[in-house]
C-alpha cells in the first residue's frame, strides 16, 4: 500500500523525498563521525608502579580481572593510574613493556607489548598474570590503549 502511494507521487514529490533522505544520511554521517586527532602534542612523563605501590582499590580491580586481558584507569590523589594486563600465561618469564605514552588533543595514548620469556631465563611452569601499572599526573582525557 505504501509502495503504491510512493509510485503515485509526482516527479517533484519524489525529488523532494530523495533530497530529504539524502540530507538525513548526510546529517547522520556528520553526527556519527568523530574527529580522532592522533597527532602527538607531547610525551607524558610516567612511572611504572609495582603492584604493592598501587592504590589498594586499583589492585583489587586488577586482581579481579587478571585472568583475562584488561585495561583499567584509576584516579587517586591527583594521579592517574593506567593498568594493562595480558591475561593468564602458562609459564613464568613474561613481562610488559611500555612502548610509548603520549597526549593528543583528544586523549592519552598508551602503547604496550607483552614480552615472552627470554631464552636465557629458566622457565617455571605455572600460571602467571603479566600486567603493567603506569602512574602519571591526573588528566580527564580519554585513554586509548594500543
Amino acid at each position: 500500500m505504501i509502495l503504491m502511494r510512493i509510485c503515485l507521487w509526482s516527479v517533484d514529490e519524489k525529488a523532494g523525498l530523495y533530497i530529504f533522505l539524502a540530507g538525513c544520511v548526510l546529517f547522520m554521517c556528520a553526527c556519527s563521525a568523530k574527529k580522532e586527532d592522533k597527532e602527538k602534542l607531547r610525551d607524558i612523563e610516567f612511572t611504572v608502579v609495582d603492584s604493592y605501590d598501587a592504590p589498594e582499590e586499583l589492585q583489587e580491580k586488577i586482581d579481579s580481572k587478571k585472568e583475562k586481558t584488561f585495561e583499567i584507569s584509576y584516579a587517586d590523589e591527583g594521579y592517574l593510574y593506567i593498568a594493562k594486563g595480558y591475561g593468564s600465561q602458562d609459564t613464568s618469564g613474561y613481562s610488559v613493556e611500555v612502548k610509548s605514552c603520549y597526549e593528543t588533543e583528544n586523549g592519552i595514548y598508551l602503547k604496550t607489548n607483552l614480552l615472552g620469556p627470554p631464552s636465557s631465563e629458566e622457565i617455571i611452569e605455572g600460571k602467571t598474570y603479566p600486567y603493567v601499572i603506569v602512574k602519571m599526573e591526573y588528566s580527564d582525557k580519554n585513554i586509548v590503549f594500543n
Side-chain angles (χ1 to χ4, degrees):
M1 192 76 146
I2 294 173
L3 183 58
M4 287 180 54
R5 174 129 175 107
I6 291 174
C7 293
L8 296 176
W9 285 0
S10 70
V11 172
D12 289 338
E13 289 174 321
K14 286 182 185 178
L17 176 64
Y18 290 134
I19 291 171
F20 174 74
L21 290 175
C24 288
V25 168
L26 289 173
F27 178 75
M28 290 171 57
C29 289
C31 289
S32 66
K34 180 180 178 185
K35 182 182 177 194
E36 191 171 319
D37 188 0
K38 293 183 181 182
E39 184 178 331
K40 184 192 308 188
L41 296 177
R42 68 179 181 98
D43 287 321
I44 295 177
E45 291 186 30
F46 65 90
T47 305
V48 174
V49 178
D50 288 322
S51 59
Y52 53 83
D53 287 332
E56 187 176 332
E57 186 177 349
L58 172 60
Q59 192 58 52
E60 289 171 2
K61 287 182 180 186
I62 291 170
D63 289 340
S64 71
K65 295 178 181 275
K66 70 182 181 183
E67 289 284 333
K68 298 183 186 215
T69 59
F70 66 83
E71 298 167 341
I72 300 173
S73 62
Y74 181 82
D76 185 46
E77 297 181 10
Y79 291 102
L80 177 64
Y81 295 84
I82 304 173
K84 168 71 177 171
Y86 286 86
S88 175
Q89 304 298 320
D90 292 329
T91 65
S92 66
Y94 287 90
S95 61
V96 180
E97 170 188 39
V98 178
K99 294 289 283 182
S100 63
C101 184
Y102 61 92
E103 181 178 7
T104 69
E105 188 175 316
N106 296 327
I108 295 173
Y109 284 72
L110 179 69
K111 180 175 174 86
T112 61
N113 283 336
L114 176 65
L115 302 176
S119 57
S120 61
E121 186 174 308
E122 181 181 342
I123 307 288
I124 299 171
E125 296 291 324
K127 296 281 184 194
T128 59
Y129 309 95
Y131 62 88
V132 66
I133 303 171
V134 172
K135 178 183 177 181
M136 64 188 68
E137 286 184 22
Y138 176 77
S139 172
D140 62 353
K141 290 188 174 185
N142 291 328
I143 299 165
V144 179
F145 293 87
N146 291 334

